[in-house]
Amino acid sequence: MSAIEASKNHRDIVLKPVVTEKSSVLMDHGKYTFEVDPRATKTEIKIAIEQIFGVKVGAVATQNRKGKAYRTRDGIGRRKDVKRAIVTLREGTIDIFGEQASAR
């Protein structure tokens, strides 16, 4: 049992959606990209997505991305390392943008 599994809060696993040009193109094919906890496994991510959004997940692919180094006035800084999950759905869709059906 991992540390994530012990907490049982699915929102601790899935941190936020990733909205980029590339992820927007993937959404048309039923693939959604999320930033996830670095300690989370593919199975934990799958269960969390299914519980939060009420969809059926077909596959989960993960990426560990190293943070880039950048120069500052005081020396070298570093962005944080990030783990991303690309989730392929079997059925259903996820409304990442929270768009309502209101017409203005």
Side-chain angles (χ1 to χ4, degrees):
M1 179 185 281
S2 70
I4 301 285
E5 205 173 297
S7 70
K8 293 291 186 193
N9 190 350
H10 301 299
R11 300 231 181 239
D12 291 338
I13 296 172
V14 179
L15 303 178
K16 63 182 180 180
V18 175
V19 181
T20 61
E21 248 181 271
K22 187 172 184 177
S23 68
S24 297
V25 171
L26 288 174
M27 282 185 217
D28 296 336
H29 301 289
K31 296 182 180 187
Y32 296 87
T33 308
F34 296 93
E35 188 174 315
V36 296
D37 187 286
R39 300 168 295 171
T41 64
K42 289 182 179 184
T43 305
E44 292 169 342
I45 294 167
K46 177 182 177 179
I47 293 167
I49 294 292
E50 287 178 348
Q51 293 296 317
I52 293 170
F53 298 106
V55 294
K56 291 290 183 186
V57 175
V60 177
T62 58
Q63 305 173 338
N64 284 308
R65 300 181 56 160
K66 296 292 180 188
K68 290 184 178 181
Y70 60 91
R71 291 179 58 184
T72 65
R73 170 179 174 168
D74 298 323
I76 304 257
R78 196 166 161 76
R79 294 183 192 156
K80 67 177 185 168
D81 296 342
V82 171
K83 184 171 187 175
R84 287 185 176 184
I86 300 173
V87 178
T88 305
L89 300 183
R90 274 193 284 154
E91 56 185 57
T93 60
I94 297 175
D95 184 18
I96 288 179
F97 303 109
E99 296 171 350
Q100 299 296 325
S102 64
R104 276 192 164 185

